[in-house]
Amino acid sequence: MDNILEKELVSIGIPFYNSQDFLSDAIKSVIKQTYQNWELILMDDGSGDNSLAIARAFEKNDKRIKVISDGKNLGLPNRLNQLSKLSKGYYYARMDADDIMHPERISSQVKYLKANPSIDLLGSGLIAIDNKNIITGLRKGSFLDNVTLNMVMKMTWCVHPTITGKLEWFQDNPYDENLKRAQDYELWIRTVDHSKFVKLKEAYLFYREASTPSLTKYFQSTKYSLNTFMKNKSRLGILNVLKLTINKLLKLFVYFVFSIFGQTNKLIQRRSVEMDPKDKKRYSSLIEQITS
């Protein structure tokens, strides 16, 4: 590997709450990165299961891992802001406690960021997995450069835990702690005009597609998205706010109908496309190697 890359410390932040079923695999995927100059901060949000014990067991065996726990449940955006404040790296990588990193994720994203220093946030493609680490598909998407406000409004420019970027950017642009859900969407809308967002086509994250889907969570996400539109109405324009609101409410209605018949997983599966059988076999084998 390029020795120059190894000089840059990368902070990896994983907030967790009652994640005992998946946290171990997430941590293993960090440890097995080809890029080894990292620190991992595991931030507990008042878990009531065995998650904290799992995190501390890894901390004992690797000095690069630090566990933070105050016993309180403060919510995801609060913990995300804490993670960036505590980080010491030049770059900062987002990750959720139920996902699995591709071994080349940090290496590939850092290499791209160093070659393109004007980029603030760099996302990637992803491979969807279920609760048993079985691949369910490849998330639709392509390379995106110079992401605009219009693009952010109309689509998910990237999935939150695929992002790696300059730590300074995260510290200068905190999440809105009043938004318990959709806090990433609000942050993109608020910052895209003075930031450079890029998304790589390559899949560098095994993303656990809605490990706990529910109508309540979807309703909350919709509510906070609508709050985001109103908060930024002067920038978005009233017409765009109206269009976005109608679109969100229509999606909520469709989700509600599917939930009545217990078919919400079909909606989730539509986000991805089938993988080539050879690629699926290769990536399945890679997941097994990471989590073993």
Side-chain angles (χ1 to χ4, degrees), residues 251-283:
K251 287 183 177 179
L252 177 61
F253 175 74
V254 171
Y255 194 94
F256 173 72
V257 172
F258 273 70
S259 69
I260 291 176
F261 298 100
Q263 299 295 313
T264 53
N265 281 338
K266 289 188 176 181
L267 284 177
I268 294 171
Q269 290 169 1
R270 290 178 62 185
R271 301 172 185 170
S272 303
V273 296
E274 284 290 329
M275 290 186 68
D276 178 271
K278 291 183 179 179
D279 288 338
K280 186 173 182 179
K281 183 177 180 180
R282 176 166 56 87
Y283 279 114

Side-chain angles (χ1 to χ4, degrees), residues 52-112:
L52 185 56
I54 293 171
R56 284 178 170 160
F58 279 97
E59 182 184 32
K60 289 180 181 179
N61 295 319
D62 196 321
K63 63 182 181 180
R64 296 171 296 179
I65 299 175
K66 184 177 182 180
V67 178
I68 307 294
S69 179
D70 57 17
K72 300 177 182 179
N73 181 242
L74 302 179
L76 180 59
N78 182 291
R79 298 305 187 182
L80 292 175
N81 288 337
Q82 285 188 43
L83 282 165
S84 62
K85 289 176 183 177
L86 292 170
S87 295
K88 299 176 182 178
Y90 183 79
Y91 296 113
Y92 176 76
R94 271 282 295 116
M95 189 181 178
D96 286 338
D98 58 349
D99 296 329
I100 298 171
M101 282 190 186
H102 186 289
E104 297 288 341
R105 175 193 170 175
I106 300 300
S107 175
S108 297
Q109 289 189 309
V110 167
K111 185 175 182 179
Y112 197 91

Side-chain angles (χ1 to χ4, degrees), residues 24-26 28-29 32 99-103 127 129-130 132-135 206 208 279-292:
S24 179
D25 285 350
K28 287 178 182 177
S29 75
K32 294 184 180 180
D99 296 329
I100 298 171
M101 282 190 186
H102 186 289
I127 294 171
I129 58 175
D130 66 12
K132 296 181 179 180
N133 291 347
I134 296 173
I135 294 174
F206 297 102
R208 207 170 302 278
D279 288 338
K280 186 173 182 179
K281 183 177 180 180
R282 176 166 56 87
Y283 279 114
S284 295
S285 177
L286 182 58
I287 293 174
E288 290 180 5
Q289 294 173 30
I290 294 169
T291 58
S292 62

Side-chain angles (χ1 to χ4, degrees), residues 15-214:
F16 65 91
Y17 173 73
N18 292 346
S19 304
Q20 64 179 15
D21 293 339
F22 310 116
L23 183 58
S24 179
D25 285 350
I27 297 172
K28 287 178 182 177
S29 75
V30 174
I31 293 172
K32 294 184 180 180
Q33 288 294 295
T34 58
Y35 190 100
Q36 287 289 298
N37 190 20
W38 48 260
E39 64 168 357
L40 172 60
I41 304 177
L42 301 169
M43 177 72 69
D44 178 40
D45 192 33
S47 297
D49 64 358
N50 200 41
S51 299
L52 185 56
I54 293 171
R56 284 178 170 160
F58 279 97
E59 182 184 32
K60 289 180 181 179
N61 295 319
D62 196 321
K63 63 182 181 180
R64 296 171 296 179
I65 299 175
K66 184 177 182 180
V67 178
I68 307 294
S69 179
D70 57 17
K72 300 177 182 179
N73 181 242
L74 302 179
L76 180 59
N78 182 291
R79 298 305 187 182
L80 292 175
N81 288 337
Q82 285 188 43
L83 282 165
S84 62
K85 289 176 183 177
L86 292 170
S87 295
K88 299 176 182 178
Y90 183 79
Y91 296 113
Y92 176 76
R94 271 282 295 116
M95 189 181 178
D96 286 338
D98 58 349
D99 296 329
I100 298 171
M101 282 190 186
H102 186 289
E104 297 288 341
R105 175 193 170 175
I106 300 300
S107 175
S108 297
Q109 289 189 309
V110 167
K111 185 175 182 179
Y112 197 91
L113 286 166
K114 287 182 70 66
N116 300 275
S118 63
I119 296 175
D120 294 298
L121 298 183
L122 180 65
S124 79
L126 59 85
I127 294 171
I129 58 175
D130 66 12
N131 287 352
K132 296 181 179 180
N133 291 347
I134 296 173
I135 294 174
T136 59
L138 179 69
R139 179 65 76 90
K140 302 172 184 176
S142 58
F143 174 79
L144 296 175
D145 192 10
N146 293 321
V147 175
T148 65
L149 176 60
N150 190 50
M151 292 166 67
V152 169
M153 286 191 299
K154 290 184 177 181
M155 64 181 182
T156 301
W157 75 274
C158 82
V159 174
H160 196 195
T162 70
I163 287 177
T164 298
K166 298 172 183 174
L167 174 62
E168 182 180 21
W169 187 95
F170 286 93
Q171 294 175 335
D172 291 343
N173 298 281
Y175 296 86
D176 185 340
E177 296 182 8
N178 293 314
L179 299 176
K180 301 305 180 184
R181 299 187 71 83
Q183 62 278 340
D184 53 333
Y185 188 38
E186 189 279 333
L187 181 60
W188 312 151
I189 289 176
R190 173 161 40 97
T191 60
V192 66
D193 283 343
H194 60 267
S195 305
K196 184 174 177 61
F197 299 168
V198 173
K199 176 195 164 189
L200 301 175
K201 181 179 180 180
E202 293 79 12
Y204 291 122
L205 187 75
F206 297 102
Y207 179 67
R208 207 170 302 278
E209 193 81 78
S211 57
T212 54
S214 73

Side-chain angles (χ1 to χ4, degrees), residues 211-243:
S211 57
T212 54
S214 73
L215 180 60
T216 300
K217 286 188 175 183
Y218 200 89
F219 175 80
Q220 291 177 342
S221 179
T222 300
K223 181 180 72 171
Y224 286 119
S225 292
L226 298 184
N227 290 343
T228 294
F229 300 152
M230 293 305 298
K231 177 181 176 180
N232 294 276
K233 63 181 179 181
S234 61
R235 295 179 60 249
L236 298 175
I238 296 299
L239 184 58
N240 279 328
V241 169
L242 181 60
K243 290 179 179 178

